[in-house]
Amino acid sequence: MSYEIATIPGDGIGPEVVDATLPLFEEVAQNHGVEVEFTRYDWGSDRYLEEGAMMPDDALDQLEPSDAILLGAVGHPEVPDHVTLHGLLLPIRKQFDQQICERPSILFEGVESPLEGYSGGDIEFVVFRENTEGEYSDIGGREHVGFDHEFAVQTSVFTRQGTEAILRAAFEAAEERKGHLTSITKSNAQAYSMVFWDELVEEVREDYPEVEVESLLVDAASMDFIRRPEEFDVVVASNLFGDILTDIGAIVTGSMGLAPSGNINRSGEFPSMFEPVHGSAPDITGEGIANPIATVLSAAMLFENVGEEGVSEDLWSAVRAVLADDSAPTPPDLGGSAGTEEIMDALSERV
Ligand code: GGG
């Protein structure tokens, strides 16, 4: 089989982690008789600063024929964050109908959690984040700018179809995992959208009788991700809550540098996009010390998504082996001093 993978290295450490990891993906794919062709799209904040747009007008047409997309990071100190997100990341997620965002949080053997008493294997859950609507709906406006009566309105949209889609994806995952699903809302305060969400959970769970369902408010869930992370299996949440909770998930399992994610188009009509959860990290850009593991695991999710389980498994195994090996190089975010290339060499030795 052969695959066309679009890469958007993006900003900050994005190009460093994407460029460093591609040779490993080619090597592992080749071991499985799989051909991959990467097409690089140099879109992002530098383009914005030069040309006034993060991507060209026909960006989505260019990406659409790809089998999948690998994104590095977006975010630049000289460009407002809403410009980088609305100019690149969000249009891809929305227009390619990537309604499902899947973000695993795993405490790997050999990785230290900031939480006392946890070691490798103790924490392993996955967050299903609704990915194209909710609090990220681009509906609102500002008026009377500069006056005392200036105001801003931002509307959250929860559709039956979108909410059901994320819930079903999460229930299906729970069926395949430990059979436990936690739905996270703020229905005490948001009595329309989040009560609607809770009602849909009740409806959808009828089709998954084996799955045990727990409901938590997002404030309690944030505490519990720290207080009892080992009890979570599959978590489902709205767009914004999912985004915030997955940062907590990443940090309690060691580092943002280990957290992968997939933005999934379930119909297969459009490519899915895979990206490390971390951002562009301008504070370490250019130093060669960015942890490439989140990108490697994002690619592992990508290969699984296109049906290349063997390639995916090999990437997961290489990461597990490097992290578990005391003598292997350790990146700075995990307490070591190894650079990006050293980590990649260690991974390459193990495939
Ligand atoms: N690696 C992707 C990236 O740069 N993400 C930055 C970010 O702020 N993402 C927000 C979101 O996922 O909603």
Side-chain angles (χ1 to χ4, degrees), residues 71-74 85 89 93 103 129 136 243 275-279:
L71 172 80
V74 284
L85 244 60
L89 193 56
R93 287 183 187 162
R103 293 185 163 187
R129 163 191 181 186
Y136 277 46
D243 184 43
E275 50 168 319
V277 173
H278 65 68

Side-chain angles (χ1 to χ4, degrees), residues 210-271:
E210 305 295 312
V211 176
E212 189 192 335
V213 179
E214 174 189 26
S215 271
L216 286 179
L217 297 178
V218 67
D219 40 349
S222 306
M223 286 192 290
D224 286 346
F225 265 36
I226 292 161
R227 193 163 55 180
R228 54 173 187 100
E230 73 283 6
E231 290 180 24
F232 292 99
D233 176 24
V234 176
V235 175
V236 63
S238 66
N239 210 333
L240 181 64
F241 293 172
D243 184 43
I244 297 166
L245 287 166
T246 49
D247 274 20
I248 304 178
I251 216 68
V252 299
T253 51
S255 170
M256 292 294 287
L258 300 176
S261 80
N263 306 279
I264 313 292
N265 170 260
R266 276 208 138 187
S267 67
E269 192 184 347
F270 300 104

Side-chain angles (χ1 to χ4, degrees), residues 107 111-123 224-231 252:
L107 182 57
V111 174
E112 207 178 311
S113 168
L115 305 178
E116 209 175 306
Y118 288 92
S119 50
D122 287 347
I123 307 173
D224 286 346
F225 265 36
I226 292 161
R227 193 163 55 180
R228 54 173 187 100
E230 73 283 6
E231 290 180 24
V252 299

Side-chain angles (χ1 to χ4, degrees), residues 97-176:
D97 204 24
Q98 296 166 348
Q99 289 191 304
I100 312 299
C101 179
E102 196 177 330
R103 293 185 163 187
S105 286
I106 302 166
L107 182 57
F108 291 101
E109 293 293 340
V111 174
E112 207 178 311
S113 168
L115 305 178
E116 209 175 306
Y118 288 92
S119 50
D122 287 347
I123 307 173
E124 180 153 2
F125 60 83
V126 57
V127 175
F128 280 78
R129 163 191 181 186
E130 195 291 310
N131 212 33
T132 58
E133 50 178 58
E135 307 88 342
Y136 277 46
S137 304
D138 195 15
I139 296 175
R142 292 178 63 169
E143 226 179 354
H144 308 305
V145 176
F147 292 94
D148 284 349
H149 54 294
E150 179 174 357
F151 68 85
V153 175
Q154 182 103 37
T155 303
S156 295
V157 172
F158 289 78
T159 65
R160 174 173 279 274
Q161 187 280 331
T163 310
E164 255 199 66
I166 192 67
L167 292 177
R168 287 194 183 280
F171 270 102
E172 281 163 26
E175 272 188 331
E176 281 172 22

